[in-house]
């Protein structure tokens, strides 16, 4: 839904820019972080509606960042979606086990990204309620 | 005087024998690719020297003998045993030889109640028959048989001769086999790393080189005995080092053999080397009176006084050397020298065999290392390339979606080119990654039950758009009796999609593609047929190789050149096979089979098999992490035991007394800290080194609680191995691990 705030955590600047620009273009409010630590810190302060989290990050990785986010009471119910580098089954299963609310495999589809994000937002809300 | 005559006769016999064998070996040297000629020569010599009417070599073929070569047998006999071969049972001489594994004679066939082949006896009218087994690696591969038409039992001399000839015939068979194998491998290996699997089987053959050592000991033993010397050794020439190394010795102390093996017998500066370079034997009558090279000095110190060095040559090529020696000084007679020269030429073959073995062994090992490196390189390369590629694809898409404004026709066209090139490159990377996974034995299958029809329909839906664009009709025919299959759905679809997109790609506009599925015994058979241009015969194997595209479709096509290679590997991983039927101008059918039920997993290796390997218990609740650790430790000579939680891990540690434990911290139930504390508190497990591998950075806490090392995830392979080395679980001299499946077995929670 337009106006929702999406936190994107992704270390590769080009990929980050791509996701940010696409989501901004369709009307989302995008906050960008380039590392797990930065993402966790920003999540606490920017009150996001959805977090898109890359898994392979310098410093703490996506799994560890997710764990820290889950410990933050301010972020209860905010869906966190994994951005996986490989569209591989092992990774998918692993993200589900780790507690991510979903995953998007790279390369992300520019055409589909807005509607996928929209789905995650509404599913996340549905779960909370 | 009588004794002298007898000796002389023996000597003449022996010389004649060796001359004959030499003839056989020369024949072998001439034509390693024509085993028949060599066997003919063996048979002819055996018949002549054992003074009988007929001789023949038979090779074992499953449950019967096949005639490989013969002399003196009638065509009627030959055609009779062609139709009714000798079976391996007690009713035939050959059968008895094969069953008893020893030389056997029947003094008179007509008075042997057990003999059952009167049919051939009537044809050939033989009475006394004898046969010796041809043994290779302790296995009877055939027999050499002799036939006399009168009752005239073979004497000890003939028995000894036949045994010797049978041994020669066995070496001939082995040698022909080896040479052929080496030649084939040599060509193929350079071309395709795919052959590695086949080669690891050769590795099994190589382990039988012990048998060759036995052959070599036999040679030197006979050389010493026949020449009336007191001791001797046999050396192998090592081309790269331009020196000889001692392989085997006879009548020499263990101490002397150890010392002999320890020295390098140089080609240029030693007596043995000189004999080899000059191509004839050189004798030293008294070691006290000459200048000693290191080899002779060693012998002299050990109490030897006279030495004869005989080169072992194969044509111009130096293979090795025979050295015989005596405790007393004195010249070697011409007869002895001549005899040993003959003997040496006979042993050339066996020594050469040993070298062939070693060559194969080295080649195999080198290729494994190369393949491992290649796989690792490809895996990391594809990952590194993928990230920027994602940006290329993504930004092209953004622009093509007109997200930031309208494009003119040319811009639109160029962006489409960028996008399709980017996607092509990405597909290539994915294929490379998959292929390297398969080759490194790290592609894991996830088996589930899925509907064959749905999977096929899914595949067709993926190519429908393109097919429609070119007016190609895609038909599907599924045997109604087919429903679920138990296999890896993702991989199954991957193979299918690959074949389908190839078919659509290579079918001319307006053509047809037909997909069919049926059951064949325990297998599902899927075929994808197109009516494209077909594939010329010379391309039919080639298209399954990496980066080879067939000539069908003269225009530049966008295939990755890896698709079929990958498909074939995946299908074989799934337990099936892939094939191609094609006719130029008519079309092609690619087919593959996969078992309907996934093969039952191999039971865990028997504990005894790996009992001697040190155990490393890896405790981690994350499957992927366990697999990664196992892959890291693959080939390091340790046995990896998995535990999925702390409780199970503790049980394994108590039960197995492992050489090391690799422990995760964050786990459900008992966490790593608790496991560590309990291991340290228990008298029985206190000494077991624990290496913590965790995402948490709490190194000091870990070390304080008694961990031997603390690694932070993600952990690299070198890092983990380094830690295991420091605690002594992995030997510091382990070589690069080989490619292949991890040696692991899971341990149930109980």
């Amino acid at each position: 839904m337009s106006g929702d705030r999406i936190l994107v955590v992704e270390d590769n600047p080009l990929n980050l820019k791509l996701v940010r620009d696409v989501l901004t273009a369709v009307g989302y409010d995008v906050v960008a972080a380039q590392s797990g630590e930065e993402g966790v810190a920003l999540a606490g302060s920017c009150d996001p509606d959805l977090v898109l989290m890359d898994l392979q990050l310098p410093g703490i990785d996506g799994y560890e960042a997710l764990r820290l986010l889950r410990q933050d009471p301010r972020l209860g119910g905010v869906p966190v979606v994994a951005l996986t580098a490989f569209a591989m089954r092992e990774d998918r299963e692993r993200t589900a086990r780790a507690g991510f609310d979903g995953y998007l495999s790279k390369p992300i589809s520019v055409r589909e990204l807005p509607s996928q994000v929209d789905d995650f937002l509404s599913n996340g809300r549905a779960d909370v309620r | 005087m009588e004794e002298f005559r007898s000796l002389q006769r023996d000597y003449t016999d022996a010389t004649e024998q060796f001359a004959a064998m030499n003839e056989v070996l020369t024949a072998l040297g001439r034509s390693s690719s024509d085993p028949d000629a060599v066997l003919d020569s063996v048979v002819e010599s055996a018949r002549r020297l054992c003074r009988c009417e007929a001789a023949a070599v038979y090779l074992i073929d499953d449950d019967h003998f096949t005639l490989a070569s013969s002399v003196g047998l009638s065509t009627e006999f030959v055609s009779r045993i062609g139709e009714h071969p000798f079976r391996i049972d007690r009713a035939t001489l050959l059968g008895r030889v094969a069953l008893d594994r020893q030389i056997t004679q029947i003094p008179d066939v007509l008075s042997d109640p057990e003999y059952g082949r009167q049919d051939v006896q009537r044809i050939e009218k033989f009475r006394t028959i004898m046969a010796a087994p041809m043994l290779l690696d302790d296995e009877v591969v055939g027999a050499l048989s002799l036939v006399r038409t009168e009752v005239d039992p073979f004497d000890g001399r003939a028995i000894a001769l036949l045994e010797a000839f049978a041994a020669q015939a066995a070496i001939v068979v082995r040698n022909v086999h080896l040479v052929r194998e080496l030649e084939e491998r040599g060509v193929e290996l350079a071309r395709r790393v795919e052959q590695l699997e086949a080669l690891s089987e050769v590795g099994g053959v190589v382990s039988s080189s012990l048998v060759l050592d036995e052959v070599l000991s036999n040679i030197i033993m006979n050389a010493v005995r026949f020449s009336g010397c007191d001791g001797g050794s046999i050396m192998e020439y090592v081309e790269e080092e331009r020196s000889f190394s001692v392989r085997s010795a006879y009548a020499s102390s263990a101490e002397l053999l150890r010392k002999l093996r320890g020295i390098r017998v140089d080609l240029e500066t030693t007596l043995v080397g000189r004999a080899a370079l000059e191509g004839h034997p050189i004798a030293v009558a008294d070691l006290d009176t000459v200048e000693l090279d290191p080899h002779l000095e060693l012998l002299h110190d050990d109490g030897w006084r006279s030495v004869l060095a005989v080169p072992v040559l194969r044509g111009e090529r130096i293979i090795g050397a025979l050295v015989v020696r005596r405790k007393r000084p004195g010249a070697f007679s011409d007869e002895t020298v001549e005899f040993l020269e003959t003997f040496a030429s006979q042993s050339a073959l066996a020594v050469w065999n040993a070298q062939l073995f070693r060559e194969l062994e080295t080649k195999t090992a080198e290729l494994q290392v190369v393949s491992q490196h290649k796989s690792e390189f490809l895996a990391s390369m594809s990952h590194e390339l993928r990230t920027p590629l994602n940006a290329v694809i993504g930004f092209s898409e953004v622009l093509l979606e007109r997200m930031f404004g309208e494009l003119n026709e040319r811009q639109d066209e160029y962006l489409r080119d960028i996008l399709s090139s980017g996607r092509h490159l990405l597909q290539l990377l994915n294929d490379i990654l998959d292929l390297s996974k398969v080759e490194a034995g790290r592609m894991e299958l996830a088996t589930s039950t899925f509907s064959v029809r749905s999977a096929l329909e899914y595949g067709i839906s993926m190519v429908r758009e393109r097919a429609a664009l070119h007016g190609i009709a895609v038909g599907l025919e599924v045997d109604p009796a087919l429903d679920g299959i138990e296999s890896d759905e993702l991989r199954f679809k991957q193979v299918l999609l690959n074949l389908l997109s190839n078919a659509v790609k290579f079918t001319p506009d307006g053509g047809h593609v037909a997909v069919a599925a049926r059951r064949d015994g325990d297998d599902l058979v899927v075929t994808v047929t197109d009516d494209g241009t077909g594939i010329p015969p010379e391309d039919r194997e080639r298209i399954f190789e990496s980066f080879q595209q067939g000539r069908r479709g003269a225009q530049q096509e966008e295939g990755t050149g890896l698709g079929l290679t990958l498909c074939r590997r995946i299908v074989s991983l799934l337990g099936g096979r892939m094939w191609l039927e094609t006719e130029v101008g008519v079309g092609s059918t690619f087919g593959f089979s996969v078992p309907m039920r996934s093969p039952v997993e191999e039971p865990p290796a028997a504990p005894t098999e790996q009992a001697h390997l040190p155990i490393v218990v890896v405790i981690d609740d994350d499957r992927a992490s366990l697999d990664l650790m196992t892959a890291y430790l693959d080939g390091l000579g340790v046995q990896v035991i998995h535990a999925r939680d702390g409780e199970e891990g503790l049980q394994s540690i108590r039960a197995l007394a492992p050489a090391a434990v690799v422990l995760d911290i964050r786990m459900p139930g008992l966490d790593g800290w608790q496991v560590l504390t309990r291991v340290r508190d228990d008298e029985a497990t206190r000494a077991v080194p624990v290496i913590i591998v965790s995402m948490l950075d709490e190194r000091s806490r870990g070390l304080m609680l008694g961990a031997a090392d603390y690694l932070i995830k993600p952990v690299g392979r070198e890092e983990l191995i380094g830690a295991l080395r420091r605690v002594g679980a992995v030997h510091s001299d382990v070589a690069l691990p080989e490619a292949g499946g991890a040696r692991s077995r899971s341990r149930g929670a109980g």
Side-chain angles (χ1 to χ4, degrees), chain A residues 88 90, chain B residues 432-443:
Chain A
M88 297 216 179
E90 303 96 78
Chain B
I432 288 174
L433 189 66
D434 275 353
L435 205 55
S436 64
K437 268 186 169 179
V438 178
E439 287 191 357
R442 286 180 194 160
M443 177 171 281

Side-chain angles (χ1 to χ4, degrees), chain A residues 12 14-15 17-18 21-22 25 56 61 64 67 85-86 88-90 94 97 106-111, chain B residues 383 386-387 390-391 394-395 397-398 401 403-404 426 433 437 446 488 490 622-624 666 695-696:
Chain A
N12 182 287
L14 279 180
N15 283 330
K17 182 168 149 192
L18 178 67
D21 289 0
V22 169
Q56 284 194 316
D61 67 6
E64 180 65 12
R67 200 180 62 85
F86 317 103
M88 297 216 179
R89 184 172 36 215
E90 303 96 78
R94 199 175 159 201
R97 268 206 316 277
K106 296 184 194 175
I108 57 150
S109 161
V110 167
R111 203 181 305 172
Chain B
H383 183 67
R386 207 192 301 253
T387 306
N390 287 338
F395 285 113
E397 273 186 330
V398 167
E401 284 295 305
M403 240 173 234
F404 299 97
L426 189 66
L433 189 66
K437 268 186 169 179
D488 185 308
L490 190 82
D622 181 21
R623 177 87 230 169
R666 273 210 327 270
M695 282 195 276
L696 304 177

